[in-house]
Amino acid sequence: MSSKGSNNNGGKSSKARFIKKLSNDNTKQVPKTKKALSDYKFAVGNASNAADYEKTADYVINYIRTNYTHGNDIADTLENLEPYDLEAEIPELKPTTATEKVKKATQEKQYFHQWKSQYDCWTERETIYKDNLTKAYGLLWDQCTSSMQAKIQHRQDFRSKIKLNPTDLLKAIKEHSLNFEETHYDCAISYDALLNLVNMKQKENES
């Protein structure tokens, strides 16, 4: 009788220690101060870190804005989650207003050189924007945790739509960061499995 009572107490004690450990593991930790790009990561959402998406996205986008050449263009693209309309900013050749033949020719030449200079700058800006799209995709991908990368790679539209497209990549990141129901469901299954293991161990101790 005493031996069986001792086993019961041991089982209850083990269960209590396990539950306490789970409680301690789930205790919210004081977050460390984030200071560098490496401190900001896009993680698969859960109840505690879903709010981190906005902070991480803001930091990464601001990093792009301040460190990339013509960074405003790609930063605006990511903030609005749609391509920047550079076509709307193509410079136009200013029409001449002079009527006298010599003055008109001089004005046309002046306006053409102004337009050519502006158009060359626009062309360079367009080229840099396209390069920045690739760079931004790589940066966003590197800021994802391994679990976030896995989630995105297993999407049906990864190769056809997301890969090398920073706008659609950020949309997918946002979706998985803020949708923590799927993570909550996986955690619930894991918790139930652990709880069943504890109960099984307790019954073994009682036998």
Side-chain angles (χ1 to χ4, degrees):
M1 291 292 291
S2 60
S3 176
K4 184 175 182 180
S6 176
N7 286 338
N8 283 338
N9 291 333
K12 291 179 180 179
S13 178
S14 297
K15 184 177 181 181
R17 286 196 300 270
F18 178 78
I19 293 174
K20 183 177 180 180
K21 184 178 185 303
L22 282 180
S23 177
N24 290 336
D25 290 343
N26 291 328
T27 300
K28 187 175 181 180
Q29 301 295 319
V30 177
K32 68 175 183 178
T33 302
K34 296 180 180 180
K35 297 181 179 180
L37 182 64
S38 58
D39 295 328
Y40 289 83
K41 291 291 184 180
F42 292 111
V44 176
N46 57 50
S48 62
N49 71 14
D52 287 343
Y53 167 79
E54 294 294 341
K55 294 178 181 178
T56 302
D58 287 346
Y59 187 93
V60 173
I61 291 173
N62 188 58
Y63 176 88
I64 290 172
R65 190 185 301 279
T66 55
N67 289 278
Y68 284 22
T69 303
H70 291 302
N72 279 331
D73 295 342
I74 187 67
D76 288 347
T77 293
L78 296 175
E79 282 184 341
N80 299 322
L81 292 177
E82 61 183 25
Y84 190 86
D85 188 11
L86 277 172
E87 297 292 327
E89 300 183 18
I90 296 178
E92 296 181 355
L93 181 61
K94 188 177 180 180
T96 59
T97 56
T99 56
E100 196 273 322
K101 186 174 182 180
V102 175
K103 288 184 178 181
K104 183 176 182 179
T106 301
Q107 195 176 66
E108 285 178 347
K109 186 177 181 180
Q110 176 188 350
Y111 288 171
F112 175 79
H113 285 300
Q114 289 177 350
W115 170 82
K116 182 67 167 57
S117 177
Q118 292 171 352
Y119 186 79
D120 288 345
C121 290
W122 180 89
T123 301
E124 179 185 16
R125 182 181 169 192
E126 182 188 36
T127 301
I128 291 173
Y129 175 74
K130 291 178 180 178
D131 289 341
N132 281 344
L133 286 173
T134 302
K135 289 172 61 178
Y137 177 88
L139 177 61
L140 290 171
W141 185 257
D142 287 343
Q143 296 309 120
C144 292
T145 61
S146 57
S147 58
M148 175 65 83
Q149 291 177 351
K151 281 280 187 183
I152 294 173
Q153 284 179 319
H154 283 87
R155 290 172 61 110
Q156 291 184 346
D157 59 351
F158 174 67
R159 291 188 177 277
S160 63
K161 185 178 180 181
I162 296 174
K163 191 173 183 179
L164 299 181
N165 187 326
T167 305
D168 286 325
L169 173 59
L170 190 57
K171 288 179 181 178
I173 291 172
K174 183 176 183 180
E175 178 183 333
H176 291 295
S177 293
L178 302 183
N179 181 14
F180 57 86
E181 289 300 326
E182 56 188 32
T183 308
H184 176 74
Y185 177 72
D186 292 341
C187 290
I189 292 176
S190 299
Y191 177 80
D192 288 342
L194 288 172
L195 197 58
N196 288 335
L197 179 61
V198 171
N199 291 333
M200 181 179 69
K201 291 293 185 182
Q202 181 185 3
K203 290 179 180 179
E204 289 177 354
N205 290 333
E206 290 177 351
S207 61

